[in-house]
């Protein structure tokens, strides 16, 4: 009886190990081929004095990189289980503005995965076709990245639409205008949608540098339906921790805080390079003289996350 139990436990352990091993090997790496970058002389984007030789090694165009976040108080899809993470701002994206503050969008329509592109027509008259294929969620699953999908469904939340539509929008509008996510950067072993997964990982990497809720709370600034704050209180609290003044966006004539953008120049690739934090080059839409609401979220719109 004891022998049978030991044998069964042993077999169970072997099966578990086989499954774990299979799951481990099913994950496909998505990093680009940056072997040529070891011999490159790198400078921060928008600060280089000579032309960049390899646009996979350094960000060319879109060199003013913004890590952007939302403070939403509801999702509109609560009945479908789409909730906001408690005490945490959510991801908006990773944007490649040009060095002069302008920006390009939807730069590669062969990698257009946005079901509702906005704008639908680019300044040169090019029409951006709505994407009608499988959602980007299927791309993530194809690469065995259930860990990535879980994180995105926790911290990268849409308002009024599905999360995967939002993710497809952010990749198509922004990542396709960043040189280090070009398909050519992944070399001859490129697997379709590898760049998409690599971008999502890179967005999360940058997002984790800026725990906005914690930085504000540490300065005594927390969401409230009664207390209001000044723009300088928000700016000073975030500058004290990041070394620079980010852009703060407000709705309702500048009185309701809704978003933050952290500005950078990048040395190396956007995926793994060094981000130098800069003062915002965009004027805040929050009132500079009045009081600003940083509202609490609707209780039924939040969930506690680990």
């Amino acid at each position: 009886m004891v022998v049978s139990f030991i044998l069964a436990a042993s077999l169970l352990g072997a099966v578990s190990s086989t499954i774990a091993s299979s799951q481990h090997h099913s994950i496909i790496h998505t990093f680009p081929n940056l072997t040529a970058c070891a011999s490159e002389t790198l400078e921060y984007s928008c600060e280089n004095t000579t032309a960049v030789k390899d646009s996979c090694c350094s960000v060319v165009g879109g060199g003013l990189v913004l890590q952007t976040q939302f403070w939403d108080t509801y999702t509109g899809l609560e009945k479908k289980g789409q909730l906001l993470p408690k005490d945490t701002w959510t991801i908006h994206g990773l944007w490649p503005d040009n060095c002069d503050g302008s920006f390009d969008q939807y730069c590669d329509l062969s990698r257009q995965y946005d079901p509702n592109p906005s704008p639908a027509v680019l300044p040169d008259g090019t029409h951006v076709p709505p994407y009608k294929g499988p959602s980007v969620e299927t791309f993530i699953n194809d690469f065995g990245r259930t860990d990535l999908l879980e994180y995105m469904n926790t911290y990268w939340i849409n308002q009024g639409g599905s999360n995967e539509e939002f993710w497809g929008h952010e990749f198509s509008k922004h990542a396709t205008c960043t040189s280090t996510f070009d398909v050519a950067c992944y070399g001859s072993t490129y697997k379709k949608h590898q760049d998409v997964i690599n971008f999502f990982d890179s967005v999360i990497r940058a997002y984790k540098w800026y725990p906005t809720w914690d930085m504000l709370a540490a300065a005594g600034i927390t969401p409230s339906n009664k207390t209001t704050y000044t723009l300088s209180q928000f700016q000073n609290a975030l500058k004290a921790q990041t070394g620079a003044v980010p852009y703060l966006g407000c709705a309702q004539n500048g009185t309701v805080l809704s978003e933050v953008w952290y500005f950078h120049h990048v040395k190396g690739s956007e995926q793994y390079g060094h981000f130098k934090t800069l003062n915002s080059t965009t004027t805040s839409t929050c009132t500079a003289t009045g009081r600003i609401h940083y509202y609490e979220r609707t209780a039924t719109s939040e969930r506690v996350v680990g």
Side-chain angles (χ1 to χ4, degrees), residues 254-270:
T255 63
V256 178
L257 184 64
S258 60
E259 58 184 329
V260 62
W261 306 347
Y262 298 97
F263 285 68
H264 314 83
H265 289 166
V266 180
K267 179 181 285 188
S269 70
E270 191 168 297

Side-chain angles (χ1 to χ4, degrees), residues 64-294:
L64 183 61
V65 178
L66 283 62
Q67 194 288 310
T68 59
Q69 299 178 20
F70 275 136
W71 180 256
D72 290 325
T73 57
Y74 68 96
T75 70
L77 279 79
E78 284 81 0
K79 291 183 178 179
K80 294 185 177 182
Q82 191 162 300
L83 303 176
L84 299 162
K86 186 174 176 57
D87 298 347
T88 306
W89 285 53
T90 56
I91 300 170
H92 189 168
L94 193 60
W95 300 350
D97 280 12
N98 296 317
C99 300
D100 62 2
S102 64
F103 62 92
D104 299 310
Q105 50 193 334
Y106 297 101
C107 294
D108 182 356
L109 296 183
S110 71
R111 296 185 291 160
Q112 203 308 79
Y113 307 119
D114 186 350
N116 300 293
S118 175
V121 181
L122 301 179
D124 65 359
T126 301
H127 287 259
V128 182
Y131 175 67
K132 298 181 180 180
S135 77
V136 294
E137 181 177 349
T138 65
F139 307 166
I140 301 171
N141 283 322
D142 287 344
F143 278 81
R145 292 298 306 279
T146 55
D147 61 317
L148 176 61
L149 186 59
E150 180 180 4
Y151 192 94
M152 291 170 67
N153 271 319
T154 303
Y155 296 102
W156 202 341
I157 309 299
N158 198 6
Q159 186 180 65
S162 70
N163 291 338
E164 57 267 26
E165 288 177 350
F166 186 23
W167 307 335
H169 168 82
E170 289 300 305
F171 175 84
S172 305
K173 184 174 181 177
H174 300 295
T176 59
C177 298
T178 303
S179 65
T180 62
F181 292 108
D182 287 346
V183 169
C185 299
Y186 297 86
S188 59
T189 60
Y190 171 75
K191 180 177 174 62
K192 190 172 178 62
H193 303 137
Q194 179 178 349
D195 47 329
V196 181
I197 311 306
N198 191 217
F199 172 70
F200 291 158
D201 275 328
S202 301
V203 172
I204 290 169
R205 171 188 180 238
Y207 166 69
K208 289 181 176 180
W209 294 333
Y210 297 106
T212 304
W213 195 96
D214 290 348
M215 289 191 287
L216 292 175
I221 302 172
T222 55
S224 173
N225 291 339
K226 296 179 180 179
T227 303
T228 57
Y229 305 95
T230 63
L231 176 59
S232 61
Q233 282 180 286
F234 290 116
Q235 291 175 328
N236 292 339
L238 296 175
K239 181 180 180 181
Q241 302 306 316
T242 67
V245 177
Y247 165 85
L248 291 163
C250 286
Q252 298 185 28
N253 295 318
T255 63
V256 178
L257 184 64
S258 60
E259 58 184 329
V260 62
W261 306 347
Y262 298 97
F263 285 68
H264 314 83
H265 289 166
V266 180
K267 179 181 285 188
S269 70
E270 191 168 297
Q271 289 91 321
Y272 314 116
H274 183 267
F275 282 50
K276 179 198 291 187
T277 308
L278 308 169
N279 288 332
S280 171
T281 62
T282 303
T283 302
S284 174
T285 55
C286 300
T287 176
T289 56
R291 306 292 295 185
I292 299 169
H293 293 278
Y294 177 23

